[in-house]
Amino acid sequence: MSSALKYIIDDNGHKTGVLVPVKTWENLNEKYKKLNKKLTILTGIQQGLLEVKESRTNGKSLQTLSSFLSEDNS
């Protein structure tokens, strides 16, 4: 089984593309999906913390966690 990358090179010798073995591509794609999920979660947490900080600065009250969790989502 060959796992080497194969580069596509133009007439000037510049790399313009790459061929990746399917297994390598699948592994990279899976890692990308996991990292993207983590980024989404961490960005949401960061945004929430900024909202809390802003509300404290402006004296605005926010919904409590227990109130949020007890909401009926149907």
Short mmCIF file of all heavy atoms in Angstrom, two decimals:
data_model
loop_
_atom_site.label_atom_id
_atom_site.label_comp_id
_atom_site.label_asym_id
_atom_site.label_seq_id
_atom_site.Cartn_x
_atom_site.Cartn_y
_atom_site.Cartn_z
N MET A 1 0.84 -1.19 0.00
CA MET A 1 0.00 0.00 0.00
C MET A 1 0.88 1.24 0.00
O MET A 1 1.76 1.40 0.84
CB MET A 1 -0.90 -0.02 1.24
CG MET A 1 -1.74 1.23 1.38
SD MET A 1 -2.97 1.09 2.69
CE MET A 1 -2.10 1.87 4.03
N SER A 2 0.65 2.12 -0.94
CA SER A 2 1.42 3.35 -1.04
C SER A 2 0.75 4.45 -0.23
O SER A 2 -0.44 4.70 -0.36
CB SER A 2 1.52 3.78 -2.51
OG SER A 2 2.18 5.02 -2.58
N SER A 3 1.53 5.11 0.62
CA SER A 3 0.96 6.20 1.42
C SER A 3 1.61 7.53 1.08
O SER A 3 1.41 8.51 1.77
CB SER A 3 1.14 5.90 2.91
OG SER A 3 2.52 5.84 3.22
N ALA A 4 2.39 7.55 0.02
CA ALA A 4 3.10 8.78 -0.35
C ALA A 4 2.16 9.76 -1.04
O ALA A 4 1.27 9.38 -1.79
CB ALA A 4 4.26 8.44 -1.27
N LEU A 5 2.37 11.02 -0.75
CA LEU A 5 1.64 12.08 -1.44
C LEU A 5 2.24 12.24 -2.83
O LEU A 5 3.45 12.05 -3.03
CB LEU A 5 1.76 13.39 -0.68
CG LEU A 5 1.28 13.40 0.76
CD1 LEU A 5 1.53 14.76 1.40
CD2 LEU A 5 -0.18 13.04 0.85
N LYS A 6 1.41 12.60 -3.78
CA LYS A 6 1.90 12.84 -5.14
C LYS A 6 1.53 14.27 -5.51
O LYS A 6 0.36 14.66 -5.42
CB LYS A 6 1.28 11.85 -6.11
CG LYS A 6 1.72 10.43 -5.82
CD LYS A 6 1.13 9.44 -6.76
CE LYS A 6 1.70 8.08 -6.41
NZ LYS A 6 0.81 7.01 -6.56
N TYR A 7 2.53 15.04 -5.89
CA TYR A 7 2.31 16.45 -6.20
C TYR A 7 2.06 16.66 -7.69
O TYR A 7 2.66 15.99 -8.53
CB TYR A 7 3.51 17.28 -5.76
CG TYR A 7 3.67 17.30 -4.26
CD1 TYR A 7 4.58 16.44 -3.64
CD2 TYR A 7 2.92 18.14 -3.47
CE1 TYR A 7 4.73 16.43 -2.27
CE2 TYR A 7 3.06 18.13 -2.09
CZ TYR A 7 3.96 17.27 -1.50
OH TYR A 7 4.09 17.26 -0.13
N ILE A 8 1.20 17.59 -7.99
CA ILE A 8 0.96 18.01 -9.37
C ILE A 8 1.77 19.29 -9.56
O ILE A 8 1.65 20.23 -8.78
CB ILE A 8 -0.55 18.26 -9.60
CG1 ILE A 8 -1.33 16.98 -9.34
CG2 ILE A 8 -0.79 18.78 -11.01
CD1 ILE A 8 -2.83 17.16 -9.28
N ILE A 9 2.58 19.28 -10.60
CA ILE A 9 3.50 20.40 -10.83
C ILE A 9 3.23 20.99 -12.20
O ILE A 9 3.04 20.28 -13.19
CB ILE A 9 4.96 19.91 -10.72
CG1 ILE A 9 5.20 19.36 -9.30
CG2 ILE A 9 5.94 21.02 -11.05
CD1 ILE A 9 6.53 18.72 -9.08
N ASP A 10 3.20 22.34 -12.25
CA ASP A 10 2.96 23.00 -13.54
C ASP A 10 4.24 23.04 -14.38
O ASP A 10 5.28 22.53 -13.97
CB ASP A 10 2.35 24.40 -13.33
CG ASP A 10 3.31 25.37 -12.66
OD1 ASP A 10 4.52 25.10 -12.54
OD2 ASP A 10 2.83 26.46 -12.25
N ASP A 11 4.14 23.67 -15.54
CA ASP A 11 5.28 23.72 -16.48
C ASP A 11 6.46 24.49 -15.91
O ASP A 11 7.60 24.31 -16.37
CB ASP A 11 4.85 24.37 -17.79
CG ASP A 11 3.84 23.50 -18.54
OD1 ASP A 11 3.84 22.27 -18.31
OD2 ASP A 11 3.06 24.05 -19.34
N ASN A 12 6.22 25.34 -14.91
CA ASN A 12 7.30 26.12 -14.30
C ASN A 12 7.90 25.45 -13.07
O ASN A 12 8.74 26.01 -12.40
CB ASN A 12 6.79 27.52 -13.91
CG ASN A 12 6.38 28.32 -15.12
OD1 ASN A 12 7.03 28.26 -16.16
ND2 ASN A 12 5.28 29.05 -15.00
N GLY A 13 7.41 24.26 -12.76
CA GLY A 13 7.95 23.53 -11.61
C GLY A 13 7.29 23.88 -10.28
O GLY A 13 7.78 23.47 -9.24
N HIS A 14 6.21 24.65 -10.32
CA HIS A 14 5.51 25.02 -9.09
C HIS A 14 4.44 23.98 -8.76
O HIS A 14 3.71 23.52 -9.64
CB HIS A 14 4.85 26.40 -9.24
CG HIS A 14 5.83 27.49 -9.48
ND1 HIS A 14 6.00 28.06 -10.72
CD2 HIS A 14 6.69 28.12 -8.65
CE1 HIS A 14 6.92 29.00 -10.65
NE2 HIS A 14 7.36 29.05 -9.40
N LYS A 15 4.33 23.66 -7.48
CA LYS A 15 3.31 22.72 -7.04
C LYS A 15 1.95 23.40 -7.15
O LYS A 15 1.75 24.50 -6.66
CB LYS A 15 3.56 22.29 -5.60
CG LYS A 15 4.81 21.46 -5.42
CD LYS A 15 5.05 21.12 -3.97
CE LYS A 15 6.39 20.42 -3.81
NZ LYS A 15 6.73 20.22 -2.39
N THR A 16 1.01 22.75 -7.82
CA THR A 16 -0.33 23.31 -8.00
C THR A 16 -1.41 22.44 -7.37
O THR A 16 -2.56 22.86 -7.27
CB THR A 16 -0.65 23.46 -9.50
OG1 THR A 16 -0.58 22.18 -10.12
CG2 THR A 16 0.33 24.42 -10.16
N GLY A 17 -1.06 21.25 -6.95
CA GLY A 17 -2.04 20.36 -6.35
C GLY A 17 -1.34 19.17 -5.72
O GLY A 17 -0.12 19.02 -5.82
N VAL A 18 -2.14 18.36 -5.08
CA VAL A 18 -1.59 17.17 -4.44
C VAL A 18 -2.61 16.05 -4.48
O VAL A 18 -3.82 16.28 -4.35
CB VAL A 18 -1.14 17.48 -2.98
CG1 VAL A 18 -2.32 17.84 -2.10
CG2 VAL A 18 -0.37 16.33 -2.39
N LEU A 19 -2.14 14.85 -4.72
CA LEU A 19 -2.97 13.65 -4.65
C LEU A 19 -2.68 12.98 -3.32
O LEU A 19 -1.52 12.74 -2.97
CB LEU A 19 -2.65 12.70 -5.80
CG LEU A 19 -2.96 13.22 -7.21
CD1 LEU A 19 -2.47 12.23 -8.25
CD2 LEU A 19 -4.44 13.47 -7.37
N VAL A 20 -3.74 12.71 -2.58
CA VAL A 20 -3.60 12.13 -1.25
C VAL A 20 -4.26 10.75 -1.24
O VAL A 20 -5.38 10.61 -1.74
CB VAL A 20 -4.29 13.04 -0.20
CG1 VAL A 20 -4.15 12.48 1.20
CG2 VAL A 20 -3.75 14.45 -0.26
N PRO A 21 -3.60 9.74 -0.68
CA PRO A 21 -4.25 8.44 -0.58
C PRO A 21 -5.58 8.56 0.19
O PRO A 21 -5.71 9.37 1.11
CB PRO A 21 -3.24 7.60 0.20
CG PRO A 21 -1.92 8.25 -0.07
CD PRO A 21 -2.24 9.72 -0.16
N VAL A 22 -6.55 7.76 -0.21
CA VAL A 22 -7.90 7.85 0.37
C VAL A 22 -7.86 7.70 1.89
O VAL A 22 -8.51 8.46 2.61
CB VAL A 22 -8.84 6.80 -0.27
CG1 VAL A 22 -10.17 6.76 0.45
CG2 VAL A 22 -9.05 7.10 -1.74
N LYS A 23 -7.14 6.75 2.41
CA LYS A 23 -7.09 6.53 3.86
C LYS A 23 -6.53 7.76 4.57
O LYS A 23 -7.06 8.18 5.60
CB LYS A 23 -6.24 5.29 4.18
CG LYS A 23 -6.32 4.87 5.61
CD LYS A 23 -7.71 4.37 5.94
CE LYS A 23 -7.76 3.86 7.37
NZ LYS A 23 -9.11 3.60 7.82
N THR A 24 -5.50 8.36 4.02
CA THR A 24 -4.93 9.58 4.60
C THR A 24 -5.96 10.70 4.57
O THR A 24 -6.14 11.42 5.55
CB THR A 24 -3.67 10.00 3.82
OG1 THR A 24 -2.72 8.94 3.86
CG2 THR A 24 -3.05 11.26 4.40
N TRP A 25 -6.68 10.83 3.45
CA TRP A 25 -7.71 11.86 3.32
C TRP A 25 -8.82 11.65 4.35
O TRP A 25 -9.27 12.59 5.00
CB TRP A 25 -8.29 11.85 1.91
CG TRP A 25 -9.43 12.80 1.79
CD1 TRP A 25 -10.75 12.48 1.70
CD2 TRP A 25 -9.36 14.22 1.79
NE1 TRP A 25 -11.51 13.62 1.63
CE2 TRP A 25 -10.69 14.71 1.69
CE3 TRP A 25 -8.32 15.14 1.86
CZ2 TRP A 25 -10.98 16.06 1.67
CZ3 TRP A 25 -8.62 16.49 1.83
CH2 TRP A 25 -9.93 16.93 1.73
N GLU A 26 -9.27 10.42 4.51
CA GLU A 26 -10.32 10.12 5.48
C GLU A 26 -9.89 10.47 6.90
O GLU A 26 -10.66 11.03 7.67
CB GLU A 26 -10.75 8.66 5.38
CG GLU A 26 -11.51 8.35 4.10
CD GLU A 26 -11.72 6.87 3.87
OE1 GLU A 26 -11.09 6.03 4.55
OE2 GLU A 26 -12.54 6.55 2.98
N ASN A 27 -8.65 10.14 7.25
CA ASN A 27 -8.12 10.47 8.58
C ASN A 27 -8.05 11.98 8.78
O ASN A 27 -8.45 12.50 9.83
CB ASN A 27 -6.74 9.85 8.80
CG ASN A 27 -6.81 8.34 8.97
OD1 ASN A 27 -7.84 7.79 9.34
ND2 ASN A 27 -5.71 7.67 8.69
N LEU A 28 -7.55 12.69 7.78
CA LEU A 28 -7.46 14.14 7.88
C LEU A 28 -8.85 14.77 7.98
O LEU A 28 -9.07 15.69 8.77
CB LEU A 28 -6.73 14.72 6.66
CG LEU A 28 -5.23 14.51 6.61
CD1 LEU A 28 -4.69 14.93 5.25
CD2 LEU A 28 -4.54 15.28 7.72
N ASN A 29 -9.78 14.28 7.20
CA ASN A 29 -11.14 14.82 7.21
C ASN A 29 -11.81 14.58 8.56
O ASN A 29 -12.50 15.45 9.08
CB ASN A 29 -11.95 14.20 6.07
CG ASN A 29 -13.12 15.05 5.68
OD1 ASN A 29 -13.08 16.27 5.77
ND2 ASN A 29 -14.18 14.41 5.25
N GLU A 30 -11.61 13.42 9.15
CA GLU A 30 -12.18 13.12 10.46
C GLU A 30 -11.60 14.03 11.54
O GLU A 30 -12.32 14.55 12.39
CB GLU A 30 -11.93 11.65 10.82
CG GLU A 30 -12.72 11.16 11.99
CD GLU A 30 -14.22 11.25 11.79
OE1 GLU A 30 -14.72 11.04 10.67
OE2 GLU A 30 -14.93 11.55 12.77
N LYS A 31 -10.29 14.23 11.49
CA LYS A 31 -9.65 15.15 12.45
C LYS A 31 -10.17 16.56 12.27
O LYS A 31 -10.41 17.28 13.24
CB LYS A 31 -8.13 15.11 12.29
CG LYS A 31 -7.49 13.85 12.81
CD LYS A 31 -5.99 13.86 12.60
CE LYS A 31 -5.37 12.56 13.06
NZ LYS A 31 -3.92 12.54 12.89
N TYR A 32 -10.35 16.98 11.03
CA TYR A 32 -10.88 18.31 10.74
C TYR A 32 -12.28 18.48 11.35
O TYR A 32 -12.58 19.50 11.97
CB TYR A 32 -10.93 18.55 9.24
CG TYR A 32 -11.69 19.80 8.86
CD1 TYR A 32 -11.12 21.05 8.99
CD2 TYR A 32 -13.00 19.71 8.41
CE1 TYR A 32 -11.83 22.19 8.69
CE2 TYR A 32 -13.72 20.84 8.09
CZ TYR A 32 -13.12 22.09 8.23
OH TYR A 32 -13.84 23.21 7.93
N LYS A 33 -13.14 17.48 11.18
CA LYS A 33 -14.50 17.56 11.71
C LYS A 33 -14.48 17.69 13.23
O LYS A 33 -15.24 18.47 13.80
CB LYS A 33 -15.30 16.32 11.29
CG LYS A 33 -15.69 16.31 9.83
CD LYS A 33 -16.44 15.02 9.49
CE LYS A 33 -16.73 14.92 8.01
NZ LYS A 33 -17.41 13.66 7.67
N LYS A 34 -13.63 16.91 13.89
CA LYS A 34 -13.54 16.96 15.35
C LYS A 34 -13.04 18.33 15.81
O LYS A 34 -13.58 18.91 16.76
CB LYS A 34 -12.62 15.86 15.87
CG LYS A 34 -13.24 14.48 15.78
CD LYS A 34 -12.28 13.42 16.28
CE LYS A 34 -12.88 12.03 16.15
NZ LYS A 34 -11.98 10.98 16.61
N LEU A 35 -12.02 18.84 15.15
CA LEU A 35 -11.49 20.16 15.53
C LEU A 35 -12.52 21.26 15.27
O LEU A 35 -12.63 22.21 16.05
CB LEU A 35 -10.20 20.45 14.76
CG LEU A 35 -8.97 19.68 15.23
CD1 LEU A 35 -7.80 19.94 14.27
CD2 LEU A 35 -8.59 20.09 16.64
N ASN A 36 -13.28 21.13 14.20
CA ASN A 36 -14.30 22.12 13.89
C ASN A 36 -15.39 22.13 14.95
O ASN A 36 -15.89 23.20 15.35
CB ASN A 36 -14.89 21.86 12.50
CG ASN A 36 -15.53 23.08 11.91
OD1 ASN A 36 -15.12 24.21 12.19
ND2 ASN A 36 -16.54 22.88 11.10
N LYS A 37 -15.78 20.95 15.45
CA LYS A 37 -16.76 20.87 16.54
C LYS A 37 -16.22 21.55 17.79
O LYS A 37 -16.94 22.30 18.46
CB LYS A 37 -17.08 19.41 16.88
CG LYS A 37 -18.12 18.79 16.02
CD LYS A 37 -18.45 17.39 16.54
CE LYS A 37 -19.44 16.69 15.67
NZ LYS A 37 -19.75 15.34 16.15
N LYS A 38 -14.97 21.27 18.13
CA LYS A 38 -14.36 21.89 19.31
C LYS A 38 -14.33 23.40 19.17
O LYS A 38 -14.62 24.14 20.11
CB LYS A 38 -12.93 21.37 19.53
CG LYS A 38 -12.87 19.97 20.05
CD LYS A 38 -11.42 19.54 20.26
CE LYS A 38 -11.35 18.10 20.69
NZ LYS A 38 -9.96 17.65 20.92
N LEU A 39 -13.97 23.87 17.99
CA LEU A 39 -13.92 25.31 17.74
C LEU A 39 -15.29 25.94 17.92
O LEU A 39 -15.43 27.00 18.53
CB LEU A 39 -13.38 25.60 16.34
CG LEU A 39 -13.33 27.07 15.93
CD1 LEU A 39 -12.39 27.85 16.86
CD2 LEU A 39 -12.89 27.20 14.49
N THR A 40 -16.33 25.28 17.41
CA THR A 40 -17.69 25.79 17.55
C THR A 40 -18.09 25.89 19.02
O THR A 40 -18.64 26.90 19.46
CB THR A 40 -18.68 24.88 16.79
OG1 THR A 40 -18.32 24.87 15.41
CG2 THR A 40 -20.11 25.36 16.93
N ILE A 41 -17.79 24.86 19.79
CA ILE A 41 -18.12 24.86 21.22
C ILE A 41 -17.34 25.94 21.96
O ILE A 41 -17.92 26.72 22.73
CB ILE A 41 -17.84 23.47 21.83
CG1 ILE A 41 -18.84 22.45 21.27
CG2 ILE A 41 -17.90 23.51 23.35
CD1 ILE A 41 -18.50 21.00 21.56
N LEU A 42 -16.05 26.01 21.72
CA LEU A 42 -15.24 27.00 22.43
C LEU A 42 -15.61 28.43 22.04
O LEU A 42 -15.60 29.33 22.88
CB LEU A 42 -13.75 26.74 22.16
CG LEU A 42 -13.20 25.46 22.81
CD1 LEU A 42 -11.76 25.23 22.36
CD2 LEU A 42 -13.29 25.54 24.33
N THR A 43 -15.97 28.65 20.79
CA THR A 43 -16.40 29.98 20.35
C THR A 43 -17.71 30.35 21.04
O THR A 43 -17.90 31.49 21.46
CB THR A 43 -16.56 30.01 18.82
OG1 THR A 43 -15.31 29.67 18.21
CG2 THR A 43 -17.00 31.38 18.34
N GLY A 44 -18.62 29.39 21.19
CA GLY A 44 -19.87 29.63 21.90
C GLY A 44 -19.64 29.98 23.35
O GLY A 44 -20.28 30.89 23.90
N ILE A 45 -18.73 29.26 24.01
CA ILE A 45 -18.40 29.56 25.40
C ILE A 45 -17.80 30.95 25.51
O ILE A 45 -18.16 31.74 26.39
CB ILE A 45 -17.43 28.49 25.96
CG1 ILE A 45 -18.16 27.15 26.09
CG2 ILE A 45 -16.85 28.94 27.30
CD1 ILE A 45 -17.25 25.98 26.42
N GLN A 46 -16.90 31.27 24.60
CA GLN A 46 -16.27 32.59 24.61
C GLN A 46 -17.31 33.69 24.45
O GLN A 46 -17.29 34.70 25.17
CB GLN A 46 -15.23 32.69 23.50
CG GLN A 46 -14.51 34.02 23.45
CD GLN A 46 -13.53 34.10 22.29
OE1 GLN A 46 -13.81 33.59 21.21
NE2 GLN A 46 -12.40 34.73 22.51
N GLN A 47 -18.25 33.51 23.53
CA GLN A 47 -19.30 34.49 23.30
C GLN A 47 -20.17 34.64 24.55
O GLN A 47 -20.54 35.75 24.93
CB GLN A 47 -20.17 34.09 22.10
CG GLN A 47 -21.25 35.09 21.77
CD GLN A 47 -20.70 36.46 21.37
OE1 GLN A 47 -19.64 36.55 20.74
NE2 GLN A 47 -21.39 37.49 21.75
N GLY A 48 -20.49 33.53 25.18
CA GLY A 48 -21.29 33.57 26.41
C GLY A 48 -20.59 34.33 27.52
O GLY A 48 -21.21 35.12 28.23
N LEU A 49 -19.30 34.08 27.67
CA LEU A 49 -18.54 34.79 28.70
C LEU A 49 -18.48 36.29 28.42
O LEU A 49 -18.56 37.11 29.34
CB LEU A 49 -17.13 34.21 28.82
CG LEU A 49 -17.07 32.79 29.39
CD1 LEU A 49 -15.65 32.24 29.29
CD2 LEU A 49 -17.56 32.76 30.82
N LEU A 50 -18.37 36.65 27.15
CA LEU A 50 -18.38 38.08 26.79
C LEU A 50 -19.73 38.71 27.11
O LEU A 50 -19.79 39.85 27.58
CB LEU A 50 -18.03 38.26 25.31
CG LEU A 50 -16.59 37.98 24.91
CD1 LEU A 50 -16.45 38.02 23.38
CD2 LEU A 50 -15.65 38.96 25.56
N GLU A 51 -20.82 37.97 26.87
CA GLU A 51 -22.15 38.48 27.19
C GLU A 51 -22.31 38.69 28.68
O GLU A 51 -22.90 39.69 29.12
CB GLU A 51 -23.23 37.52 26.68
CG GLU A 51 -23.38 37.53 25.17
CD GLU A 51 -24.41 36.50 24.68
OE1 GLU A 51 -25.27 36.08 25.48
OE2 GLU A 51 -24.33 36.13 23.50
N VAL A 52 -21.80 37.77 29.48
CA VAL A 52 -21.88 37.90 30.94
C VAL A 52 -21.09 39.13 31.39
O VAL A 52 -21.58 39.95 32.19
CB VAL A 52 -21.36 36.63 31.65
CG1 VAL A 52 -21.18 36.87 33.13
CG2 VAL A 52 -22.30 35.46 31.39
N LYS A 53 -19.89 39.29 30.86
CA LYS A 53 -19.06 40.43 31.23
C LYS A 53 -19.76 41.74 30.85
O LYS A 53 -19.80 42.69 31.64
CB LYS A 53 -17.71 40.34 30.53
CG LYS A 53 -16.75 41.44 30.90
CD LYS A 53 -15.40 41.24 30.20
CE LYS A 53 -14.45 42.36 30.55
NZ LYS A 53 -13.16 42.20 29.89
N GLU A 54 -20.32 41.79 29.65
CA GLU A 54 -21.02 42.99 29.19
C GLU A 54 -22.25 43.29 30.05
O GLU A 54 -22.51 44.43 30.39
CB GLU A 54 -21.43 42.82 27.73
CG GLU A 54 -22.07 44.05 27.13
CD GLU A 54 -22.44 43.83 25.67
OE1 GLU A 54 -21.58 43.33 24.93
OE2 GLU A 54 -23.57 44.17 25.30
N SER A 55 -22.97 42.25 30.41
CA SER A 55 -24.18 42.46 31.22
C SER A 55 -23.82 42.97 32.61
O SER A 55 -24.53 43.79 33.17
CB SER A 55 -25.00 41.18 31.32
OG SER A 55 -24.35 40.23 32.12
N ARG A 56 -22.72 42.49 33.15
CA ARG A 56 -22.28 42.99 34.46
C ARG A 56 -21.86 44.45 34.37
O ARG A 56 -22.13 45.24 35.27
CB ARG A 56 -21.13 42.14 34.99
CG ARG A 56 -21.58 40.78 35.45
CD ARG A 56 -20.45 39.97 36.03
NE ARG A 56 -20.95 38.69 36.50
CZ ARG A 56 -20.18 37.67 36.79
NH1 ARG A 56 -18.86 37.77 36.65
NH2 ARG A 56 -20.70 36.54 37.20
N THR A 57 -21.21 44.80 33.28
CA THR A 57 -20.77 46.19 33.09
C THR A 57 -21.97 47.11 32.94
O THR A 57 -21.98 48.22 33.49
CB THR A 57 -19.89 46.29 31.83
OG1 THR A 57 -18.76 45.43 31.98
CG2 THR A 57 -19.41 47.71 31.61
N ASN A 58 -23.00 46.67 32.22
CA ASN A 58 -24.17 47.50 31.95
C ASN A 58 -25.29 47.35 32.97
O ASN A 58 -26.31 48.01 32.86
CB ASN A 58 -24.73 47.19 30.56
CG ASN A 58 -23.74 47.49 29.46
OD1 ASN A 58 -22.88 48.34 29.62
ND2 ASN A 58 -23.84 46.79 28.35
N GLY A 59 -25.12 46.45 33.93
CA GLY A 59 -26.15 46.22 34.94
C GLY A 59 -27.37 45.48 34.41
O GLY A 59 -28.43 45.49 35.01
N LYS A 60 -27.22 44.83 33.28
CA LYS A 60 -28.31 44.08 32.66
C LYS A 60 -28.39 42.69 33.29
O LYS A 60 -27.37 42.05 33.53
CB LYS A 60 -28.04 43.96 31.16
CG LYS A 60 -29.05 43.16 30.38
CD LYS A 60 -28.62 43.07 28.91
CE LYS A 60 -29.49 42.08 28.16
NZ LYS A 60 -28.97 41.84 26.81
N SER A 61 -29.60 42.22 33.57
CA SER A 61 -29.72 40.87 34.14
C SER A 61 -29.91 39.86 33.02
O SER A 61 -30.53 40.15 32.00
CB SER A 61 -30.89 40.80 35.12
OG SER A 61 -32.11 40.98 34.45
N LEU A 62 -29.36 38.68 33.24
CA LEU A 62 -29.44 37.60 32.26
C LEU A 62 -30.29 36.46 32.82
O LEU A 62 -30.50 36.35 34.03
CB LEU A 62 -28.05 37.07 31.93
CG LEU A 62 -27.09 38.04 31.25
CD1 LEU A 62 -25.71 37.41 31.14
CD2 LEU A 62 -27.61 38.41 29.88
N GLN A 63 -30.75 35.60 31.96
CA GLN A 63 -31.50 34.42 32.36
C GLN A 63 -30.58 33.49 33.15
O GLN A 63 -29.42 33.28 32.78
CB GLN A 63 -32.04 33.72 31.12
CG GLN A 63 -32.87 32.50 31.40
CD GLN A 63 -33.37 31.84 30.12
OE1 GLN A 63 -32.83 32.07 29.05
NE2 GLN A 63 -34.39 31.03 30.24
N THR A 64 -31.09 32.94 34.23
CA THR A 64 -30.27 32.01 35.01
C THR A 64 -30.21 30.66 34.32
O THR A 64 -31.06 30.32 33.49
CB THR A 64 -30.87 31.81 36.42
OG1 THR A 64 -32.14 31.18 36.29
CG2 THR A 64 -30.99 33.13 37.16
N LEU A 65 -29.21 29.88 34.69
CA LEU A 65 -29.05 28.55 34.11
C LEU A 65 -30.24 27.66 34.47
O LEU A 65 -30.77 26.96 33.62
CB LEU A 65 -27.74 27.90 34.58
CG LEU A 65 -27.47 26.49 34.09
CD1 LEU A 65 -27.43 26.45 32.56
CD2 LEU A 65 -26.18 25.95 34.67
N SER A 66 -30.67 27.71 35.73
CA SER A 66 -31.81 26.86 36.12
C SER A 66 -33.07 27.26 35.36
O SER A 66 -33.87 26.40 34.97
CB SER A 66 -32.03 26.93 37.62
OG SER A 66 -32.25 28.25 38.04
N SER A 67 -33.28 28.54 35.11
CA SER A 67 -34.42 28.99 34.33
C SER A 67 -34.33 28.49 32.89
O SER A 67 -35.30 28.02 32.32
CB SER A 67 -34.50 30.52 34.35
OG SER A 67 -35.48 30.98 33.45
N PHE A 68 -33.15 28.57 32.33
CA PHE A 68 -32.94 28.09 30.97
C PHE A 68 -33.20 26.59 30.87
O PHE A 68 -33.85 26.12 29.93
CB PHE A 68 -31.50 28.40 30.53
CG PHE A 68 -31.13 27.81 29.19
CD1 PHE A 68 -31.57 28.37 28.02
CD2 PHE A 68 -30.32 26.68 29.14
CE1 PHE A 68 -31.22 27.82 26.80
CE2 PHE A 68 -29.97 26.13 27.93
CZ PHE A 68 -30.43 26.71 26.74
N LEU A 69 -32.68 25.83 31.83
CA LEU A 69 -32.83 24.37 31.79
C LEU A 69 -34.26 23.93 32.03
O LEU A 69 -34.66 22.84 31.58
CB LEU A 69 -31.90 23.72 32.80
CG LEU A 69 -30.40 23.87 32.50
CD1 LEU A 69 -29.56 23.29 33.64
CD2 LEU A 69 -30.03 23.22 31.18
N SER A 70 -35.05 24.73 32.71
CA SER A 70 -36.42 24.34 33.00
C SER A 70 -37.41 24.74 31.92
O SER A 70 -38.58 24.41 31.99
CB SER A 70 -36.87 24.91 34.34
OG SER A 70 -36.95 26.32 34.27
N GLU A 71 -36.94 25.44 30.88
CA GLU A 71 -37.81 25.83 29.78
C GLU A 71 -38.31 24.61 29.03
O GLU A 71 -37.57 23.64 28.85
CB GLU A 71 -37.07 26.74 28.78
CG GLU A 71 -36.87 28.14 29.26
CD GLU A 71 -36.18 29.01 28.22
OE1 GLU A 71 -35.76 28.48 27.15
OE2 GLU A 71 -36.04 30.20 28.47
N ASP A 72 -39.53 24.67 28.55
CA ASP A 72 -40.09 23.58 27.75
C ASP A 72 -39.70 23.84 26.30
O ASP A 72 -40.06 24.86 25.72
CB ASP A 72 -41.62 23.56 27.89
CG ASP A 72 -42.24 22.39 27.15
OD1 ASP A 72 -41.48 21.50 26.71
OD2 ASP A 72 -43.47 22.38 27.01
N ASN A 73 -38.96 22.92 25.70
CA ASN A 73 -38.45 23.09 24.34
C ASN A 73 -39.37 22.51 23.29
O ASN A 73 -39.00 22.38 22.14
CB ASN A 73 -37.06 22.47 24.20
CG ASN A 73 -36.03 23.22 25.00
OD1 ASN A 73 -36.15 24.41 25.20
ND2 ASN A 73 -35.03 22.51 25.49
N SER A 74 -40.60 22.16 23.63
CA SER A 74 -41.48 21.54 22.62
C SER A 74 -42.25 22.56 21.85
O SER A 74 -42.23 23.68 21.93
CB SER A 74 -42.44 20.57 23.27
OG SER A 74 -42.96 21.02 24.48
#
